[in-house]
């Protein structure tokens, strides 16, 4: 019943998005309104949570008045509205444009934060989330980009009000990327590609230290080095395991 309810929610969401499509009247108003009227309409729509309508007003502003009084705020609002609409492609395009045109803007930390959020959003798939389907094996590019975005924010703007949340999200992304690498390593094991498995598991130790996948990475490395006849490397791995995971079965065999 729980899954049925989630599917129903997905259907309702699709209907809601369809219902929010622009009408001829909206297009006509947007083509004639002044910058102040358009921006007022956009802000009202955003406050009401009608982000698709807000985007129509903001895009009209951006197209008709690219050098108008609200030009920078319009771009920032578009970034947020696209994020709320789960339109990662449009969001990232607008973010990159903003960074290119406004590299010294006082809210640039916010834009990098939104880039991280939008890349995280692109890494997710709503249907899989609703159905509790684990798709950690999907292409991790957006997750990698999100990690880089948050890392840049923290290093360049350590005092930003978004830094603490970015740090927490980086930990989540580390776990996600570590899990992906472990799945790749386990695939190599199935293919008897022991050297590739060891390299991939070692990358977890180097790039994503301190994740829950650390113990599994060490197990894969120990097994791979054993299969490769690399006794010294295997003993080094076992020493690390003994110091951190003394109850692991590999140490008792």
């Amino acid at each position: 019943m729980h899954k049925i309810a989630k599917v129903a929610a997905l259907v309702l969401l699709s209907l809601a998005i369809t219902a929010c499509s622009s009408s001829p009247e909206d297009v006509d108003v947007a083509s004639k309104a002044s910058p102040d009227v358009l921006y007022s309409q956009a802000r009202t729509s955003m406050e009401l949570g009608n982000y698709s309508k807000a985007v129509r007003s903001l895009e009209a502003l951006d197209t008709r008045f690219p050098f108008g009084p609200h030009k920078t705020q319009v771009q920032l609002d578009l970034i947020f509205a696209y994020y709320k609409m789960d339109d990662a492609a449009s969001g990232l395009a607008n973010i990159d444009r903003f960074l290119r045109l406004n590299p010294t803007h006082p809210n640039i930390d916010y834009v990098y934060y939104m880039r991280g959020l939008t890349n995280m959003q692109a890494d997710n798939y709503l249907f899989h989330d609703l159905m509790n389907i684990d798709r950690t094996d999907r292409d991790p590019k957006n997750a990698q980009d999100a990690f880089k975005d948050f890392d840049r924010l923290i290093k360049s703007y350590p005092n930003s009000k978004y830094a603490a949340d970015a740090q927490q999200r980086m930990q989540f992304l580390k776990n996600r990327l570590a899990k992906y690498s472990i799945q790749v390593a386990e695939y190599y094991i199935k293919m008897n590609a022991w050297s590739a498995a060891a390299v991939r598991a070692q990358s977890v130790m180097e790039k994503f230290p301190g994740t829950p996948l650390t113990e599994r990475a060490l197990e894969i490395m120990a097994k791979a080095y054993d299969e490769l006849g690399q006794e010294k490397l295997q003993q080094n791995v076992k020493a690390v395991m003994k110091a951190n995971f003394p109850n692991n079965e590999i140490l008792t065999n």
Side-chain angles (χ1 to χ4, degrees):
M1 288 296 293
H2 189 53
K3 287 187 176 181
I4 292 174
K6 287 185 173 181
V7 172
L10 184 63
V11 172
L12 288 173
L13 177 60
S14 299
L15 292 173
I17 292 172
T18 302
C20 288
S21 59
S22 59
S23 66
E25 292 79 5
D26 289 336
V27 174
D28 186 58
V29 170
S31 67
K32 298 177 180 178
S34 68
D36 288 338
V37 169
L38 275 174
Y39 189 67
S40 177
Q41 290 174 344
R43 292 304 307 175
T44 299
S45 296
M46 291 183 72
E47 289 168 5
L48 294 174
N50 191 344
Y51 294 102
S52 60
K53 187 173 182 180
V55 162
R56 292 196 294 275
S57 298
L58 292 168
E59 286 181 340
L61 265 171
D62 196 37
T63 301
R64 293 179 55 213
F65 308 101
F67 305 106
H70 308 289
K71 62 177 183 178
T72 304
Q73 190 58 47
V74 165
Q75 294 172 25
L76 291 171
D77 288 345
L78 271 172
I79 289 169
F80 182 75
Y82 281 129
Y83 172 72
K84 296 299 288 186
M85 289 175 64
D86 200 15
D87 186 350
S90 297
L92 289 171
N94 276 268
I95 287 168
D96 290 342
R97 183 183 69 158
F98 188 94
L99 293 172
R100 185 174 67 255
L101 298 176
N102 308 278
T104 60
H105 192 276
N107 293 333
I108 205 73
D109 59 329
Y110 167 77
V111 179
Y112 279 115
Y113 176 68
M114 288 303 301
R115 196 176 199 282
L117 290 183
T118 304
N119 269 311
M120 280 189 74
Q121 184 182 74
D123 185 57
N124 293 324
Y125 184 41
L126 178 61
F127 182 76
H128 290 155
D129 292 341
L130 288 173
M131 300 302 292
N132 291 326
I133 299 173
D134 182 8
R135 284 304 312 276
T136 315
D137 60 341
R138 63 192 178 275
D139 184 349
K141 183 183 184 307
N142 286 115
Q144 293 167 343
D145 288 345
F147 189 89
K148 292 176 184 176
D149 293 331
F150 291 134
D151 186 55
R152 180 168 184 172
L153 167 64
I154 291 169
K155 289 179 178 177
S156 300
Y157 310 96
N159 297 321
S160 169
K161 64 181 179 180
Y162 307 106
D165 186 70
Q167 187 70 59
Q168 293 181 355
R169 291 177 184 277
M170 284 181 71
Q171 185 59 52
F172 171 85
L173 290 164
K174 279 176 64 175
N175 294 343
R176 183 263 193 266
L177 293 169
K179 189 173 183 180
Y180 174 82
S181 289
I182 290 297
Q183 289 175 332
V184 173
E186 289 174 340
Y187 169 78
Y188 286 141
I189 289 174
K190 292 178 181 178
M191 302 297 291
N192 292 321
W194 296 105
S195 180
V199 169
R200 180 62 79 156
Q202 185 175 351
S203 74
V204 173
M205 303 294 297
E206 294 173 350
K207 296 179 181 179
F208 313 115
T211 70
L213 281 304
T214 298
E215 185 172 9
R216 180 58 184 149
L218 289 168
E219 291 173 350
I220 291 173
M221 291 170 68
K223 175 64 175 174
Y225 291 142
D226 181 47
E227 294 288 338
L228 294 168
Q230 298 286 343
E231 183 176 348
K232 185 175 181 180
L233 290 175
Q234 186 193 40
Q235 291 304 315
N236 290 340
V237 170
K238 285 187 174 181
V240 175
M241 293 185 73
K242 186 175 182 179
N244 294 277
F245 308 101
N247 299 320
N248 191 281
E249 292 183 1
I250 289 179
L251 299 175
T252 61
N253 292 336

